[in-house]
Every structure is written in C-alpha cells, then in structure tokens.
Amino acid sequence: MVRDTLVSAIRAAMERDGGINLHEYPIRITHNDSLRLEGEVGSIEAKRKALLIARRLAGDLPVEDGLRLTPGERREGKALLNGVLSALMQEPAFAEMDISNGERRESASPRGKIQVKVDGNRVVLLGWVNSLSHRRLAEVIAWWVAGCCDVLNLLHVEPAEMETDDEISDAVRLVLDKEPSLNADEIRIRTRNAEVTLAGIVHSAEQKRIASNDCWYIPGVHAVHNQLEVRPR
C-alpha cells in the first residue's frame, strides 16, 4: 500500500471507530521507514484501538507509539515516579519483589525485580517478573497513578510463558478485583482471540464504563465487549 493511501486508510478506519474521537483529539500519522502515531487521546480505549488499527493495516511496517492520554492531573518527574513506586510497593502481589528507581542496590529476589523510570509524564517499567499476570498488573497499576499519560512496559517474564486467552481472563479478574468501585464477584469474564467479553451485573452506567476501561488498560487485550447489565440498587 503506497504511503498516502495507507495513511488515508488508517485515518478512515479510526474515524469509523466509536471509541476514537479524531475531531476532539486529532492523531498525527507520519509514514517514513515506519509508521508513527502522535497526539493526545481522551481514553486508554482510544489509544489501544488506534494502535491496533494502525498495526493491522500497516502489515510488516513497524508502528511507533507516540500517543499520550490527556492528563487528568498534571504530575510528572519525581512526583510521578514516587507515586508509581508507592503504588507498586503497596500491591500485595509484588510484596516479595524488589521495586526501585534503580538508584540503590537491591537484594536478590526470586520473585522479580521492577525498576521504574519516568520521562516527563511517561512511565517506563524495566526488569523481570515471574508471570504474565504480574507483568500486566504492574502496567495497569502504573496507568492508574494520577498524572501518568503513557506506560512503556519493558518487563520480561522469567520463566517465559505463552500468551493465552485464559491468562488474559486471569489478568482481567485480577484487575477488576482491585477496582474499588466494582463488585467483581458479580462480573463474568470470557476471552476469545484476545477479545474480552464482560457479562453480569453492575449498579450504574459509570460502573459499566469503569469495568470496560479497566480491561483496556491490560496489555494484550484486542477488544472489549461490554454486556454488563445495569441494575440500580
């Protein structure tokens, strides 16, 4: 596909997607040796969907991610770094892992080592963890910290694990269990071909939106089908 045609096709696909609002949040698409998306987007859903569309249509052409979430709170640098470190250290799933900014020597841990760096309002996660669920959870927790506009997850898993639909469902369950506004026991999760379907009961339209949004924070999710029924208390 020639350069202008590819960019036009990607833009047209984004305009058709209800989760991406190009009018309010324009996305710049540049095509040289690779394809690059840049700009601020209004939600994690828009960011994930824009990248999925670009990668699907680009074929073998590399796609670079320059998209950032519009910050709800302006916080970057040391303040953001401390917020992410604190959130990870308070997570029970990481209790036996070494978590730091890399400036102090850590004891060897058999469970994992997470090093956090911050570039402006972008969080970078380095090191290793012992499961894909831990890798995904670390990214979600970083996204949840106020002021975070992007996460580059460079954590690797030791020993290596295969990506499966069941593993994605496990990660969704783990994340929804940690969402204080939801009763995750009332939500059923099914994943097929990396597409997550949520069914069950929530008690407000806002809870339904939050459940869907939390799924999009999880890396590896390609679509979210929200079939949750709203039953006011």
Side-chain angles (χ1 to χ4, degrees):
M1 191 178 295
V2 298
R3 179 178 303 181
D4 291 345
T5 303
L6 175 58
V7 171
S8 296
I10 292 171
R11 192 172 300 282
M14 289 181 183
E15 288 176 346
R16 290 193 297 269
D17 193 298
I20 304 172
N21 186 344
L22 292 182
H23 299 288
E24 188 171 354
Y25 300 100
I27 294 175
R28 297 184 298 279
I29 307 172
T30 55
H31 182 184
N32 294 304
D33 294 333
S34 63
L35 199 70
R36 181 170 177 81
L37 308 186
E38 293 182 294
E40 287 192 352
V41 292
S43 69
I44 186 65
E45 177 184 359
K47 175 181 169 71
R48 300 292 201 205
K49 283 186 170 182
L51 289 166
L52 285 167
I53 288 170
R55 286 169 178 151
R56 173 170 54 84
L57 294 177
D60 294 333
L61 187 68
V63 176
E64 298 178 15
D65 177 11
L67 297 175
R68 300 288 187 273
L69 266 62
T70 301
E73 177 181 326
R74 293 287 176 182
R75 182 161 65 155
E76 56 186 35
K78 188 173 182 179
L80 178 57
L81 174 63
N82 290 338
V84 175
L85 287 171
S86 176
L88 291 172
M89 289 176 180
Q90 291 177 40
E91 169 51 50
F94 301 137
E96 297 181 30
M97 295 187 185
D98 292 334
I99 299 172
S100 75
N101 62 1
E103 294 181 357
R104 59 188 176 87
R105 186 175 179 179
E106 301 295 332
S107 60
S109 169
R111 300 295 301 275
K113 180 174 182 177
I114 301 176
Q115 190 177 113
V116 182
K117 302 290 186 182
V118 167
D119 180 11
N121 53 22
R122 184 190 212 194
V123 175
V124 182
L125 301 176
L126 302 158
W128 68 276
V129 290
N130 62 353
S131 76
L132 280 168
S133 291
H134 284 91
R135 183 181 187 275
R136 288 186 161 108
L137 180 60
E139 178 169 338
V140 173
I141 288 174
W143 276 116
W144 280 348
V145 174
C148 176
C149 296
D150 191 26
V151 178
L152 177 59
N153 190 346
L154 300 178
L155 291 169
H156 61 276
V157 178
E158 296 181 6
E161 291 183 5
M162 182 177 294
E163 299 266 4
T164 66
D165 286 338
D166 286 343
E167 199 284 326
I168 291 176
S169 289
D170 289 344
V172 172
R173 172 63 62 195
L174 187 62
V175 168
L176 295 184
D177 279 342
K178 296 182 182 302
E179 177 55 66
S181 65
L182 298 176
N183 181 355
D185 291 338
E186 296 182 315
I187 299 176
R188 300 188 302 277
I189 303 160
R190 185 178 74 253
T191 305
R192 183 175 182 181
N193 298 326
E195 297 190 4
V196 176
T197 299
L198 301 178
I201 299 168
V202 290
H203 302 289
S204 69
E206 178 64 7
Q207 287 184 341
K208 182 173 181 177
R209 184 197 67 79
I210 288 171
S212 184
N213 211 45
D214 283 347
C215 291
W216 280 113
Y217 280 121
I218 298 169
V221 170
H222 289 177
V224 179
H225 306 290
N226 193 335
Q227 299 175 1
L228 292 168
E229 178 186 353
V230 177
R231 291 186 190 174
R233 295 185 188 277

